[in-house]
Amino acid sequence: MTTRYLKIHPDDNVYVALADLRKGETLQLPDNTSVQLVDDIAAKHKFADRDLKVDDEVIMYGVLVGRAVLPVPRGGVIGTHNLKHKSAPYSGRTKNYSWTPPDVSKFKGRTFDGYHRPDGQVGTANYWLVVPLVFCENRNVEAISDALVDQLGYSKPDPYKDFVHDLVDHYRSGKTDAFTEVVLRPAKDSKAAQLFKNVDGIRILTHQGGCGGTRQDAQTLCALIAGYIHNPNVAGATVLSLGCQNAEIKTLQERLKVLDPQGLKPVHILDQQNSGTEQQLLSDALRQTFLGLIDANKNSRQPAPLSKLVVGLKCGGSDGFSGISANPAIGHTSDLLVTLGGSTILSEFPELCGVEQELINRCVDDEAGERFITLMRSYSDAAVAVGSGFDMNPSPGNIKDGLITDAIKSAGAAKKGGTAPVADVLPYATYIRKPGLNLLCTPGNDVESTTGTTGSGAQIILFTTGLGTPTGNPVSQVIKLSTNTRLAQRMPDIIDFNTGAIISGEKSIEQVGEEILEFIIDVASGKVKAKAVELEQYDFIPWKRGVSL
């Protein structure tokens, strides 16, 4: 490790510990001064580089991240006991933004092997989607999936069923004092061959919405489902309706027509109350889905330019290294993709608190900037109205690992968006309209965010984590990137890519960002499966904003 502590921005008045630092240590600072630590500073946490009085502002990443509520001596630890959230105000664009794109010469002319759709989009996977318009149909959707997955060769061996089988054997043989001898064994290989070689799987969306809530939530759900169906990773869809719910078939059809005016993608919609018996509904759905799969299997991977990629940018289980390693690394990846004509989507509006003015100034026009302001303020006001606020976003795990205010967390989270201009600002459940960097209004909640990002067109989501989280998605391939090497070693089953070499000083942010793009190309081409796909981690939670009625 080249250094054990870091000042992220020249204007900062705090340092980040990259390793555990001990009280009494004397540290040499880049300005040729030294500081003696008056507290132990755990890795990922911060210490003051000057004496701070009560109400003094704390600057990190070059922006306001909090105010001192107790005196903090030079070399003292910054924590929840002496720092409270504070962020800078924001308004319309205050200056023009100038951007120098990164060098992309090594990626010029590169392609990925994807599934070309009639509307010009290109998928990185080829799924058939089965989705209910209302929670009443969840069981029927699951029945369709179970039948197809098993009989078409998509089922995977389950080591946990084998584990329970071994426990049962011990019990039946009277070995009740020897259960600790039972160990989890590698699962046996599945015997069934995959029938449709060019179809990557059957994906289902189950949810608790569609009725019993506000009409606005039902309309938003229909828009979100339409986005999933339109996503290029989806070859076609089977939709089940009960018949009397708020999320009406006609609402979904209207949303689909906006996205796909010519009806190029096959969508089979079945209504249980019209079908009569459950058996009739399910047999019709299975028959139509099977015929759809036959057609979907005729598509095969073909080269496509990197400009066809739409990549989501997300963090979860973040730590004090997130804004130093993984987030800026995927920010550089985003800049590379934007320069190549591709698209990226930065979500999680509560985690952009304190960096609003920078993002507004990066907007390509006043309209996008004003839309961002409106969405941020209305969301913030809604949080305050229920007794909360963006300042309550950091989780106990975030705080324990150094993200002690939302402004600190947000300043690091915003690094995922790189430095490119903001091409567009999207309300929730709005499909991407422009290439480049897009801001999408979603919660910070991991699954609500990834759910929204996929519904806006992302084929792949880069998901950084410092603490570890298994989050995935049914349609987009979620790539997990660890902020630190220790996590990558501790949870190798969920981590796809380790950015810890940035913390150790072995690699630069730019080097790692380019390596991430290479990894994306492999995933997009079907050469590598994201760990979340391997684990079948298919999370889907729509953002519900209204009350239940």
Side-chain angles (χ1 to χ4, degrees):
M1 182 176 290
T2 57
T3 182
R4 298 163 61 225
Y5 44 93
L6 173 71
K7 176 182 277 193
I8 298 171
H9 188 278
D11 294 340
D12 293 356
N13 54 13
V14 295
Y15 277 75
V16 182
L18 302 183
D20 290 342
L21 306 175
R22 296 303 174 198
K23 178 180 178 179
E25 281 193 64
T26 298
L27 307 179
Q28 298 300 316
L29 302 183
D31 61 1
N32 295 320
T33 64
S34 62
V35 60
Q36 186 175 48
L37 300 180
V38 298
D39 297 299
D40 288 336
I41 313 294
K44 308 179 186 179
H45 286 262
K46 292 85 185 164
F47 64 87
D49 73 352
R50 67 201 67 180
D51 291 330
L52 298 173
K53 304 185 300 295
V54 172
D55 286 332
D56 277 358
E57 295 182 342
V58 171
I59 307 298
M60 189 174 170
Y61 298 97
V63 299
L64 174 63
V65 297
R67 65 178 181 86
V69 294
L70 291 174
V72 183
R74 189 168 188 260
V77 69
I78 301 290
T80 54
H81 65 290
N82 59 19
L83 185 73
K84 296 301 180 186
H85 171 86
K86 184 178 181 182
S87 59
Y90 59 92
S91 59
R93 287 201 295 172
T94 58
K95 58 184 176 181
N96 294 324
Y97 184 68
S98 177
W99 184 55
T100 302
D103 179 13
V104 294
S105 55
K106 68 171 62 177
F107 294 102
K108 282 286 187 181
R110 293 285 300 278
T111 61
F112 70 96
D113 294 329
Y115 295 96
H116 291 248
R117 304 301 179 194
D119 63 0
Q121 295 187 98
V122 181
T124 61
N126 196 30
Y127 300 128
W128 190 274
L129 190 65
V130 184
V131 55
L133 277 179
V134 63
F135 56 81
C136 311
E137 295 297 323
N138 282 346
R139 175 183 171 278
N140 290 330
V141 163
E142 290 168 348
I144 291 170
S145 175
D146 290 345
L148 292 171
V149 167
D150 181 62
Q151 294 300 308
L152 301 184
Y154 294 111
S155 60
K156 294 177 63 175
D158 189 339
Y160 302 109
K161 287 184 179 179
D162 294 339
F163 182 74
V164 174
H165 182 271
D166 292 345
L167 289 173
V168 171
D169 280 350
H170 269 60
Y171 175 74
R172 286 176 171 166
S173 61
K175 299 178 182 179
T176 55
D177 59 345
F179 286 135
T180 55
E181 296 176 1
V182 180
V183 296
L184 192 66
R185 296 178 284 108
K188 299 172 184 177
D189 290 336
S190 177
K191 296 179 181 178
Q194 185 175 315
L195 179 63
F196 298 119
K197 303 298 183 184
N198 292 328
V199 178
D200 295 309
I202 312 298
R203 294 290 187 266
I204 67 171
L205 310 179
T206 58
H207 56 83
Q208 303 306 312
C211 203
T214 65
R215 296 297 192 270
Q216 292 89 339
D217 273 337
Q219 291 165 359
T220 299
L221 178 64
C222 286
L224 183 68
I225 292 172
Y228 269 73
I229 294 171
H230 192 57
N231 189 295
N233 285 358
V234 172
T238 301
V239 180
L240 298 191
S241 164
L242 177 60
C244 56
Q245 71 276 351
N246 287 344
E248 297 180 89
I249 290 174
K250 68 177 184 179
T251 306
L252 175 65
Q253 290 173 328
E254 289 167 358
R255 294 290 187 169
L256 285 171
K257 191 168 182 60
V258 171
L259 299 175
D260 182 12
Q262 300 180 57
L264 299 174
K265 185 168 289 189
V267 181
H268 307 299
I269 301 177
L270 298 96
D271 185 294
Q272 184 171 7
Q273 290 172 349
N274 284 340
S275 295
T277 65
E278 177 186 287
Q279 291 81 1
Q280 186 65 52
L281 172 75
L282 293 181
S283 59
D284 287 346
L286 285 166
R287 186 180 297 108
Q288 291 182 33
T289 301
F290 191 83
L291 292 172
L293 288 165
I294 293 173
D295 284 337
N297 193 51
K298 296 174 184 177
N299 200 348
S300 60
R301 291 185 181 272
Q302 301 294 333
L306 301 186
S307 60
K308 292 294 184 179
L309 289 172
V310 181
V311 176
L313 309 168
K314 170 77 179 87
C315 56
S318 298
D319 70 351
F321 287 164
S322 294
I324 302 172
S325 58
N327 288 355
I330 72 170
H332 186 65
T333 306
S334 174
D335 287 345
L336 294 170
L337 282 167
V338 168
T339 304
L340 291 162
S343 303
T344 57
I345 302 174
L346 177 64
S347 55
E348 306 182 275
F349 273 28
E351 297 178 21
L352 299 177
C353 179
V355 294
E356 295 96 339
Q357 192 62 58
E358 177 198 340
L359 292 170
I360 293 164
N361 288 341
R362 284 167 58 183
C363 287
V364 296
D365 54 42
D366 289 337
E367 181 183 356
E370 290 300 324
R371 191 181 309 120
F372 178 63
I373 292 170
T374 299
L375 289 169
M376 280 293 286
R377 287 184 174 159
S378 62
Y379 193 171
S380 177
D381 290 345
V384 172
V386 294
S388 187
F390 286 174
D391 60 304
M392 298 179 72
N393 174 274
S395 70
N398 295 150
I399 294 168
K400 179 176 178 290
D401 269 45
L403 301 179
I404 54 179
T405 72
D406 187 47
I408 290 178
K409 184 177 180 181
S410 294
K415 296 298 180 183
K416 304 191 301 289
T419 59
V422 175
D424 202 2
V425 178
L426 306 174
Y428 183 75
T430 301
Y431 206 82
I432 192 169
R433 302 174 291 211
K434 297 178 182 179
L437 173 64
N438 290 260
L439 304 183
L440 173 66
C441 185
T442 75
N445 176 288
D446 289 348
V447 179
E448 288 179 331
S449 178
T450 52
T451 294
T453 301
T454 303
S456 289
Q459 311 120 315
I460 288 173
I461 296 175
L462 297 176
F463 191 119
T464 69
T465 182
L467 305 177
T469 171
T471 302
N473 184 268
V475 167
S476 65
Q477 298 164 85
V478 180
I479 297 172
K480 296 292 173 26
L481 304 99
S482 65
T483 70
N484 61 91
T485 299
R486 184 177 296 177
L487 171 62
Q489 294 170 341
R490 190 175 71 251
M491 303 180 77
D493 57 325
I494 68 168
I495 298 299
D496 297 285
F497 193 100
N498 175 29
T499 69
I502 296 172
I503 298 298
S504 65
E506 298 168 77
K507 293 182 180 179
S508 68
I509 288 169
E510 292 74 19
Q511 284 177 297
V512 175
E514 290 182 356
E515 291 174 4
I516 292 168
L517 182 51
E518 291 285 1
F519 190 79
I520 289 173
I521 293 170
D522 284 345
V523 171
S525 299
K527 296 177 181 177
V528 176
K529 274 189 179 180
K531 298 287 181 67
V533 176
E534 292 282 6
L535 292 172
E536 298 184 331
Q537 187 80 31
Y538 303 143
D539 303 310
F540 179 80
I541 303 178
W543 183 17
K544 180 181 177 181
R545 284 169 283 185
V547 297
S548 291
L549 300 174

